[in-house]
Each structure stands twice: as C-alpha cells, then as structure tokens.
C-alpha cells in the first residue's frame, strides 16, 4: 500500500487543480466505464458535503442497499476516501484494483504526454480506480462527493441520478471564480439532463444560477427543517420532507447546520428512492440518523475537559462553527487551537476566529501547504483576541489547550482538516496504547 500511494502521490497533487475532464474520461473509458454500473448521488457545495454524504449513505444502507462512498480529503487513512457499506476499504482491495488498472492508466499517461498534456493527476487516477472498485464490489448506489467545483472535477465523468448542492460560498477562488455566482456556475456542472436536483438553503446569487439549470427543490421552500434544539451531544429536529414528515428525530452530531444537512440528505434520498413520491419509513430513518457520524466535524474527542475537533477551513465554515458553539454551549468560555493553509483567505479566517473564541493558541497544520504559526499570528495583531501562545506543533498546542481549560470552558481545534486528522490520529493512538 505504501508503494502504491507513493506512486499516486508522485502525480500532480489534488490541490494543484487542472480544470479538465477529458483525461479522466479517457481513463474510465479504457477501464470499461465502471461508473455506469451503479446509480449515483453526486454532491457538491462549499461546506457540508462530507457530512451530508455520510447521512445520505447511512439512510440508504438502512434500506438494505449496498453502498459506495467517495469523499475527500481523508483525515487519517487514505482508505477513508473509498468506503463500501460504510466501512473504508482494506489495503488489499485498493492495491489489487490499482495494480490491475495501472497498465491502462499508463497508456492514458503516454497519450496525454504525446499530446503535450500532463499525465493523469493524483485525483484523476484515484477517481478512476475508485470507480472500478465500486463496480467490482458490486454496489447498488454510489454517494459521490466532488473533489473541487463540479463542472471539470474528475468525478463529473459520472452521471448523477440525483445532484445535491450543499451551501455555496466563497472558497478556492483562484480555481472556481471570484463571486458566489461564478462558483455556483462551476458547481452546477454536475447537473445532467436526467438529474433530479436538491439543494440546501442558498445565497440568492447561487440560487439564481441553480434555477437556470433545471427544476431544483430548495430547503426552506420545497422541504425544510424546524424545531432544532440541542440534545446532549447531538441535535433533535423535525423535517418536512418532499414526500413525508419526520418529527423529532435525533442525530449524534453537534450544530443546527447538521440538522440542515440532514434535511437535505433526507430530501435527496426521497428523490432517489421514489422520485419524491415515497416517504422514508419512520423506523428506518430514526435508526439511520441515530447511527450517523461525521468524523472531524464538531467531533467530541474528550469530555473532561471538553475538547472538540472541527474541520472548518474557510470563513463560511468558521461562521457555522461559531453558531454551533453558541447553540450548544451558550455562555461558556471558548478556547481555540487555530491553524490554516497558506492558500486560504487566512486574514478573513482570522477575523472570524477572533469573533468565535475568547482566547486562542495559534499553531500550524502538517504538510507543505501550511501557513506558519508565526505568520498566522500576525493576522490577529489588530484584532480583539487574546493569544495564549504561538507554537508550530499542533499536538503541543492541544496539550497547552488541555491545561488552559476549566470546568466552564470548551476547547476547539480547528482551521484545517489536515490538522484535525493529525490530532485525531494521535488521540486514537493514545487510546489504543492505554
């Protein structure tokens, strides 16, 4: 597995996006178009994609369907990206599929290079292999999350039965566009002629773009969520779906926005299973939601002291985090361990963090894309926020956080999914040692 991943990572990395679809189309064609062998629910948006994908997939499994799920990035293990029946695949499954596909992918590489194009990127090759794994399984339905954007994302060689849009906001502007409307137009590329379309509540500019692409069912208009309330380390809410009503369901995820994600997921499943004409059985939905999880998203890793991991990595995500913390922990001191990536809007993220936390420890994420702790700290100099420390090691920052927390405090590690993964891996390793 290490050798296979080394070969994949030697390709152009997924953060260096090439806005092209033809190479992936060639790759899947030479593999026999495996993505046509199952039905597909395709998700895009700026925030909430992975949580919504996980909820959709869990509801489908409760109906007895065999599911695949493709999401990115991973938190700890590469295999998290590719799940069968809710469980990440074994190393052997990926290695076998990759080695079988490798000679064919190299043919595509040679063609591309001969034409003056770069060979398949990491994400293009990985997506093609994943499609083959799902075909070999085989699965009934794939819950498919875009890597970035939509129109030219590698996943868009697949045709969606249902296209799902989570909230669209500003992120990846260099690749997707400088306005919400431009970004929405790129993301709307996942809509195919036969797609049924469902969307979370959207900014008016994004809503207008989506409406131009087809008949879209919008949260807050065609379906919706009400009566959202915190309930332990979870949220209770009611959903008026497209086909049915689902009162007072509970899900072990924090944040009113996760209830919104769940409403969108429910509507997507109603469209997928019955074209919006058949409701989900009460006992099926309650069991599925009660078992739904989304690691790294308002993820409680310790309760005494209370420490939460959250992958918010853009201003919109940080605002959702702030609302969730106020929703579940009103009046409590909030201490953050914050980091970001150099290619993000880190000055705006700093402003959002300053409005979210009472005190912060500034650190940095692992990997070459990380913004240094020292540079990120400069973004807080003119903001009304107390900096407890500036340390380059995220794991050291978490230890400092534990020491700073009191009975009335909540600690949050946030700003980068890469850092969340590093901390989560450390927590799991320590729990195994004990």
């Amino acid at each position: 597995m290490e050798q296979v991943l080394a070969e994949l990572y030697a390709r152009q990395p997924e953060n260096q996006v090439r806005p092209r679809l033809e190479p992936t189309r060639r790759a899947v064609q030479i593999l026999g178009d495996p993505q046509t062998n199952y039905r597909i629910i395709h998700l895009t948006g700026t925030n909430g994609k992975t949580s919504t994908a996980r909820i959709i997939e869990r509801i489908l499994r409760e109906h007895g369907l065999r599911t695949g799920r493709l999401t990115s990035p991973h938190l700890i293990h590469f295999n998290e990206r590719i799940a069968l029946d809710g469980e990440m695949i074994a190393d052997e499954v990926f290695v076998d599929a990759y080695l079988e596909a490798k000679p064919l992918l190299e043919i595509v590489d040679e063609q591309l290079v001969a034409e003056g194009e770069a060979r398949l990127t990491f994400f293009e090759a990985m997506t093609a292999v994943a499609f083959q794994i799902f075909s070999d399984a085989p699965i009934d339905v794939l819950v498919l999350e875009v890597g970035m954007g939509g129109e030219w994302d590698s996943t868009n060689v697949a045709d969606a039965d249902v296209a799902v849009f989570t909230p669209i906001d500003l992120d990846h502007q260099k690749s997707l566009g400088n306005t919400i409307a431009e970004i929405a137009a790129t993301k709307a590329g996942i809509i195919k002629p036969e797609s049924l379309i469902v969307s979370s509540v959207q900014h008016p500019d994004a809503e207008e773009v989506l409406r131009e692409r087809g008949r879209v069912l919008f949260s807050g208009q065609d379906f919706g969520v009400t009566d959202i309330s915190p309930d332990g380390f979870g949220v209770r809410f009611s959903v008026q779906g497209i086909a049915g009503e689902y009162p007072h369901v509970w899900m072990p995820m924090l944040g009113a926005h996760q209830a919104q994600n769940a409403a969108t997921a429910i509507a997507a499943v109603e469209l997928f299973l019955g074209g919006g004409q058949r409701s989900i059985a009460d006992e099926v939905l309650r069991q599925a939601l009660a078992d739904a999880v989304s690691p790294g998203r308002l993820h409680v890793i310790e309760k005494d002291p209370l420490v939460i991991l959250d992958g918010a990595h853009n201003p919109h995500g940080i605002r959702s985090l702030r609302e969730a913390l106020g929703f579940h922990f009103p009046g409590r001191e909030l201490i953050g361990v914050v980091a970001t990536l150099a290619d993000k809007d880190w000055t705006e993220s700093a402003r959002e963090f300053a409005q979210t936390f009472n005190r912060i420890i500034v650190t940095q994420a692992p990997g070459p894309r990380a913004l240094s702790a020292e540079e990120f700290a400069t973004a807080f100099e003119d903001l009304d926020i107390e900096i407890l420390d500036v340390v380059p090691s995220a794991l050291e920052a978490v230890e400092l956080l534990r020491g700073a927390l009191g009975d009335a405090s909540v600690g949050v590690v946030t700003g980068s999914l890469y850092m969340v993964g590093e901390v989560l891996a450390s927590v799991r390793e320590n729990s195994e040692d004990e």
Side-chain angles (χ1 to χ4, degrees):
M1 186 67 177
E2 289 180 4
Q3 179 183 338
V4 164
L5 288 181
E7 289 184 12
L8 273 176
Y9 286 135
R11 295 175 176 272
Q12 184 165 308
E14 59 193 315
N15 66 297
Q16 296 177 16
V17 176
R18 297 185 71 87
R20 62 183 196 175
L21 197 56
E22 180 59 27
T24 309
R25 200 180 304 281
R26 289 192 198 181
V28 293
Q29 284 175 345
I30 202 168
L31 292 174
D33 281 320
Q35 79 284 359
T36 63
N37 293 334
Y38 34 80
R39 298 179 67 192
I40 289 172
I41 299 177
H42 204 175
L43 296 94
T44 189
T46 303
N47 292 301
K49 295 187 297 295
T50 298
S51 294
T52 306
R54 283 177 165 272
I55 298 168
I56 289 171
E57 192 257 359
R58 185 61 190 86
I59 298 172
L60 293 173
R61 278 196 290 123
E62 196 65 25
H63 279 88
L65 295 173
R66 185 155 204 219
T67 60
R69 185 182 71 236
L70 183 65
T71 56
S72 60
H74 59 276
L75 291 177
I76 302 174
H77 301 290
F78 170 87
N79 309 45
E80 295 167 23
R81 295 170 180 254
I82 305 171
L84 292 171
D85 290 326
E87 300 292 333
M88 68 179 185
I89 59 169
D91 286 354
E92 293 80 4
V93 172
F94 188 79
V95 169
D96 288 347
Y98 174 81
L99 293 179
E100 184 175 340
K102 180 179 176 180
L104 300 176
L105 298 180
E106 288 176 342
I107 291 173
V108 177
D109 286 338
E110 291 171 4
Q111 292 173 346
L112 291 169
V113 171
E115 295 166 7
E117 284 280 335
R119 66 192 189 124
L120 292 166
T121 67
F122 162 83
F123 195 77
E124 289 167 343
M126 186 273 293
T127 299
V129 174
F131 283 149
Q132 186 64 55
I133 289 170
F134 295 129
S135 180
D136 291 343
I139 60 170
D140 300 308
V141 53
L142 171 61
V143 182
L144 177 63
E145 177 188 327
V146 302
M148 184 186 296
E151 180 181 4
W152 37 256
D153 184 77
S154 295
T155 63
N156 205 33
V157 297
D159 292 336
D161 293 87
V162 179
V164 181
F165 294 85
T166 63
I168 296 170
D169 209 284
L170 297 175
D171 198 13
H172 300 297
Q173 286 98 312
K174 290 182 180 178
S175 300
L176 304 181
N178 293 316
T179 67
I180 289 176
E182 290 175 349
I183 293 172
T186 302
K187 293 181 183 293
I190 70 167
I191 298 172
K192 304 300 172 60
E194 302 301 318
S195 297
L196 300 172
I197 314 165
V198 64
S199 174
S200 300
V201 176
Q202 296 291 356
H203 185 282
D205 292 350
E207 180 177 330
E208 182 179 355
V209 170
L210 295 182
R211 286 195 183 280
E212 292 171 354
R213 302 300 180 95
R215 181 173 181 265
V216 186
L217 299 178
F218 283 97
S219 180
Q221 301 175 43
D222 303 289
F223 64 95
V225 58
T226 58
D227 305 323
I228 307 173
S229 60
D231 188 339
F233 286 101
V235 62
R236 190 170 296 277
F237 54 97
S238 298
V239 173
Q240 174 60 62
I242 299 167
E245 295 184 18
Y246 312 100
H248 309 300
V249 293
W250 180 82
M251 188 170 64
M253 296 187 195
L254 298 179
H257 66 287
Q258 292 290 23
Q260 298 281 355
N261 289 337
T264 301
I266 289 167
V269 172
E270 288 179 321
L271 285 177
F272 178 77
L273 292 179
Q277 302 299 311
R278 191 176 78 194
S279 63
I280 302 170
D282 183 77
E283 65 276 11
V284 168
L285 183 64
R286 290 183 187 277
Q287 178 61 43
L289 292 179
D291 193 43
V293 295
S294 190
R297 281 80 178 175
L298 283 160
H299 182 171
V300 176
I301 57 168
E302 297 174 17
K303 294 182 179 179
D304 186 21
L306 183 57
V307 179
I308 296 170
L309 303 181
D310 189 74
H313 55 274
N314 54 48
H316 181 270
I318 299 167
R319 288 192 291 273
S320 293
L321 168 63
R322 179 165 66 247
E323 291 169 4
L325 294 172
F327 182 68
H328 285 276
F329 311 108
R332 296 180 69 167
E333 181 192 37
L334 303 175
I335 305 176
V337 168
V338 298
T340 191
L341 302 182
D343 54 8
K344 296 292 183 181
D345 185 355
W346 48 275
T347 54
E348 184 61 29
S349 291
R351 282 191 282 270
E352 295 293 345
F353 283 137
Q355 296 177 56
T356 301
F357 298 111
N358 302 102
R359 297 185 286 166
I360 58 171
I361 299 167
V362 182
T363 186
Q364 66 192 57
R369 294 172 61 196
L371 184 71
S372 73
E374 292 76 13
E375 188 167 7
F376 194 29
T378 64
F380 294 93
E381 289 176 352
D382 297 324
L383 302 175
D384 186 21
I385 183 74
E386 179 185 351
I387 298 179
L388 294 176
D389 210 336
V390 179
V391 291
S393 166
L395 298 182
E396 181 182 343
V398 173
E399 285 302 312
L400 294 172
L401 173 68
R402 291 188 179 105
L405 291 172
D407 293 338
S409 304
V410 178
V412 184
V413 181
T414 186
S416 162
L417 280 167
Y418 297 103
M419 178 174 68
V420 165
E422 179 185 40
V423 174
L424 185 58
S426 175
V427 168
R428 290 180 177 174
E429 183 178 336
N430 289 338
S431 64
E432 289 172 1
D433 292 342
E434 292 171 4

